[in-house]
Amino acid sequence: MDNSGTKKTCMESTRDFFTSAKFLIYMGHALSTWGDRMWNFAVAVFLVELYGNSLLLTAVYGLVVAGSVLLLGAIIGDWVDKNPRLKVAQTSLLVQNSCVIVCGILLMVVFQFKEQLVELYNGWILTTCYILVITIANIANLASTATSITIQRDWVVVVAGQDSSRLADMNATVRIIDQLTNILAPMLVGQIMAFGSHFIGCGFISGWNLCSMCLEYALLWKVYQKTPALATKAGQKEQQQELKQLSPTRELENGQSPEESSQPLMNETSVVTKPASPKQRGCCYQVTEPLRTFKAGWVAYYNQNIFFAGMSLAFLYMTVLGFDCITTGYAYTQGLNGSVLSLLMGASAVSGICGTVAFTWVRKKCGLIRTGFISGLAQLSCLILCVVSVFAPGSPFDLSVSPFQDLYTHLIGEKPLPEAEHSLTGVLTSGNVTTAAPAEELPPLQSYMSVCLLFAGVIAARVGLWSFDLTVTQLIQENVIESERGVINGVQNSMNYLLDLLHFIMVILAPNPEAFGLLVIISVSFVAMGHIMYFRFAYKSLGSRLFLCCSPEQKVEEVDNPSLPTTV
């Protein structure tokens, strides 16, 4: 029904939905993530192809991206907080897509004239192109981080208003879009490169980002127009309230009417609250400002009531139990081919979508905090299968083989031992296509029970994983004040990247398939530690009521718990 009480027809309801700010955000997010997934998939393939089927450039790119977000996450978040929403969204959108377009064009030039570039200045021109590609692609990733913070962590909250259920539904829909684009976008660009060429792939991605940028820009403007609350931020509201509170006091002291005192008061307030100019602060102050922002962001993150909830999510990134290059590389050494891995990745995506749907249902029945607790138990229960797989028939787990043997032999240049011949570092995985560095065939396994149990646990655990991820995301959205959303989410991204970096370092130190079982046990241990931290947060928030049967009254108590700040 509309505001006048008249019941809307089906056509009117459909039209209102497709023109609503909520749907426009979904459309913009779908376009953005589709471009991101295509680029993230393609850039790794391009770098491997350019450097003679070596993983060096890909490894350097991954290290630069992770290190940049780790160091600059808080600073990016602070920039998001201190600037108008529309300016932040438009700037990050333009920078991100422009960098991808420039990178695509540069890669097209390199693919077309690689032989000539190798001969120029002993290959230094080509090396410069590699450096430019990695640098510009890193800038695009930082801009993508800013876009993610401002749209998914701030705009979505404002569009949802004070409705927690609507916010949960929007978060779940955004996550479903992520899951679908994560599978479909790499498939599309992979087919284009397979039936065309890498040159055509670069051109397609550049053209897509150019068109997508224009559409996303228009969609952002429409959402901004339909949601007046986006025009003001907490800092601006507080400043206006302070001026209104000060105005009557000054009028009484000076015996002036409101009209006489309003303009001088504004000028006086501006003089009092105006910060010192950069010239007055000095050069040293300006140089050290990013360091102070970095420190202030991490301190603010530590002081949040949801600190342990955020840390619990970050700890889930310290794992090899996901469909990244590590786990799929191990699957290849265990005899699984590319087609089987593609089916497993599809099953993983379906499992993740089920997790997002389960999140909305469980949250309505049990409340938000209990949903995270239940999701954690579900994930840990499924990961027990992964631990069992380490000791199941067909597992290569062997503690008699040193986990550092492959690293040692590479460092000293000796021939590796026969049992260490097929290491995880010799496997290259790009999306659904998996190839291996060794030319000879891998020996057939006597039993596939171990690898089947491993992937059964990984796929089943995705239900609890994505439900838990949505829980922590909404806890941060609802319980971080509006003026700190950007910096807190920036630090959260930094924590996620830090633990993700540690898991890659762990694999580098122990790359042999014989040591993968040890990595599985360490991964499950970190996941367990993460959920223990969440349990501490949940028990501190709800106490013994965490274990009580759910009821509408208990859900109200959870929201009104004084240990959590109210939503701004």
Side-chain angles (χ1 to χ4, degrees):
M1 298 179 66
D2 58 14
N3 295 332
S4 61
T6 306
K7 188 176 181 179
K8 293 184 178 180
T9 65
C10 182
M11 288 295 295
E12 290 174 337
S13 300
T14 304
R15 182 195 60 195
D16 290 345
F17 173 75
F18 284 111
T19 57
S20 65
K22 182 171 67 173
F23 179 77
L24 296 178
I25 278 190
Y26 295 156
M27 286 293 297
H29 181 69
L31 289 171
S32 178
T33 52
W34 188 278
D36 285 348
R37 298 300 185 270
M38 285 199 305
W39 171 247
N40 291 334
F41 169 82
V43 69
V45 178
F46 293 154
L47 292 176
V48 170
E49 178 70 20
L50 288 174
Y51 209 67
N53 292 328
S54 169
L55 293 174
L56 178 61
L57 284 183
T58 306
V60 171
Y61 171 69
L63 182 63
V64 169
V65 165
S68 298
V69 177
L70 177 61
L71 295 175
L72 301 177
I75 297 173
I76 292 172
D78 183 70
W79 175 74
V80 171
D81 285 333
K82 291 183 177 179
N83 288 276
R85 288 189 173 98
L86 186 61
K87 176 184 175 182
V88 169
Q90 291 176 338
T91 302
S92 56
L93 172 67
L94 292 174
V95 171
Q96 176 191 358
N97 286 275
S98 299
C99 287
V100 172
I101 292 169
V102 171
C103 257
I105 295 173
L106 186 57
L107 285 170
M108 291 173 69
V109 173
V110 173
F111 278 120
Q112 189 70 18
F113 304 103
K114 184 179 179 182
E115 295 180 359
Q116 294 87 331
L117 292 174
V118 170
E119 298 174 358
L120 289 176
Y121 300 99
N122 296 323
W124 280 106
I125 298 295
L126 185 61
T127 303
T128 303
C129 290
Y130 292 156
I131 295 173
L132 285 175
V133 167
I134 292 176
T135 302
I136 298 173
N138 182 48
I139 295 173
N141 183 73
L142 293 175
S144 176
T145 301
T147 302
S148 175
I149 292 173
T150 189
I151 300 298
Q152 297 183 41
R153 304 294 187 263
D154 186 31
W155 282 46
V156 168
V157 180
V158 177
V159 170
Q162 300 294 327
D163 192 338
S164 182
S165 296
R166 188 183 184 192
L167 178 59
D169 292 338
M170 291 186 69
N171 285 331
T173 305
V174 165
R175 198 52 49 87
I176 290 174
I177 293 172
D178 289 340
Q179 292 285 334
L180 293 175
T181 55
N182 197 35
I183 295 295
L184 299 177
M187 288 176 59
L188 173 63
V189 72
Q191 294 302 315
I192 290 173
M193 290 189 294
F195 291 99
S197 65
H198 290 91
F199 181 85
I200 295 175
C202 292
F204 176 78
I205 292 175
S206 295
W208 174 275
N209 277 271
L210 179 61
C211 298
S212 176
M213 177 175 63
C214 299
L215 288 174
E216 289 177 60
Y217 196 94
L219 289 172
L220 285 175
W221 176 246
K222 292 294 292 183
V223 172
Y224 188 80
Q225 285 182 317
K226 288 177 174 293
T227 314
L230 290 171
T232 56
K233 278 194 171 183
Q236 298 170 352
K237 296 175 185 176
E238 291 170 1
Q239 186 177 9
Q240 293 173 0
Q241 290 174 357
E242 288 175 2
L243 291 175
K244 289 179 181 179
Q245 291 173 359
L246 286 172
S247 181
T249 305
R250 292 297 179 88
E251 290 165 11
L252 291 175
E253 290 177 356
N254 300 331
Q256 295 175 325
S257 65
E259 292 78 5
E260 293 173 343
S261 61
S262 59
Q263 187 63 35
L265 174 62
M266 293 295 291
N267 293 336
E268 183 180 353
T269 306
S270 300
V271 173
V272 173
T273 59
K274 185 179 179 181
S277 65
K279 292 182 179 180
Q280 294 173 339
R281 289 175 175 174
C283 185
C284 241
Y285 184 90
Q286 297 178 55
V287 171
T288 58
E289 186 173 1
L291 296 177
R292 289 193 304 276
T293 302
F294 177 84
K295 178 183 176 182
W298 284 84
V299 170
Y301 179 78
Y302 176 77
N303 290 330
Q304 294 294 319
N305 287 328
I306 45 86
F307 168 72
F308 281 104
M311 284 292 293
S312 66
L313 178 62
F315 265 60
L316 302 192
Y317 282 78
M318 177 63 177
T319 178
V320 296
L321 302 174
F323 279 88
D324 57 5
C325 57
I326 305 302
T327 308
T328 50
Y330 171 77
Y332 177 84
T333 66
Q334 298 306 294
L336 300 185
N337 56 34
S339 61
V340 173
L341 287 174
S342 298
L343 292 175
L344 292 175
M345 291 182 70
S348 173
V350 172
S351 179
I353 293 173
C354 291
T356 60
V357 175
F359 162 75
T360 56
W361 184 80
V362 176
R363 192 203 66 83
K364 291 177 182 177
K365 298 291 183 180
C366 305
L368 185 61
I369 295 178
R370 290 189 186 90
T371 301
F373 179 66
I374 295 170
S375 302
L377 290 178
Q379 184 186 10
L380 279 175
S381 300
C382 295
L383 291 181
I384 292 176
L385 291 175
C386 299
V387 177
V388 173
S389 74
V390 175
F391 307 98
S395 172
F397 184 56
D398 188 0
L399 290 177
S400 64
V401 178
S402 171
F404 308 106
Q405 179 64 43
D406 190 69
L407 177 65
Y408 175 75
T409 53
H410 276 81
L411 289 175
I412 65 175
E414 292 182 357
K415 184 178 179 180
L417 296 175
E419 62 269 17
E421 193 170 9
H422 303 292
S423 91
L424 297 179
T425 55
V427 178
L428 165 64
T429 302
S430 299
N432 298 334
V433 183
T434 306
T435 58
E440 61 273 14
E441 292 285 337
L442 292 174
L445 292 179
Q446 296 180 353
S447 173
Y448 286 94
M449 181 179 293
S450 174
V451 70
C452 288
L453 285 173
L454 174 69
F455 279 96
V458 170
I459 292 172
R462 309 295 277 188
V463 176
L465 170 65
W466 287 112
S467 178
F468 183 80
D469 178 86
L470 284 168
T471 299
V472 176
T473 297
Q474 186 158 342
L475 282 171
I476 295 175
Q477 289 172 328
E478 292 185 348
N479 297 291
V480 174
I481 61 175
E482 186 177 339
S483 60
E484 291 183 349
R485 278 182 196 151
V487 68
I488 298 303
N489 281 287
V491 175
Q492 182 65 52
N493 284 342
S494 297
M495 283 297 305
N496 297 345
Y497 270 93
L498 174 61
L499 272 297
D500 193 47
L501 262 180
L502 291 179
H503 114 265
F504 278 109
I505 294 173
M506 179 175 67
V507 176
I508 291 172
L509 294 176
N512 297 327
E514 292 82 5
F516 189 79
L518 182 62
L519 302 185
V520 169
I521 295 172
I522 293 174
S523 298
V524 175
S525 300
F526 268 85
V527 172
M529 285 190 287
H531 288 303
I532 289 172
M533 284 189 284
Y534 183 84
F535 173 77
R536 175 179 176 179
F537 159 78
Y539 191 79
K540 183 179 179 181
S541 302
L542 298 180
S544 59
R545 290 181 290 123
L546 177 65
F547 309 105
L548 297 178
C549 296
C550 306
S551 67
E553 291 79 12
Q554 289 167 359
K555 285 189 286 183
V556 171
E557 290 175 2
E558 175 181 317
V559 174
D560 296 336
N561 190 339
S563 65
L564 292 175
T566 56
T567 304
V568 177

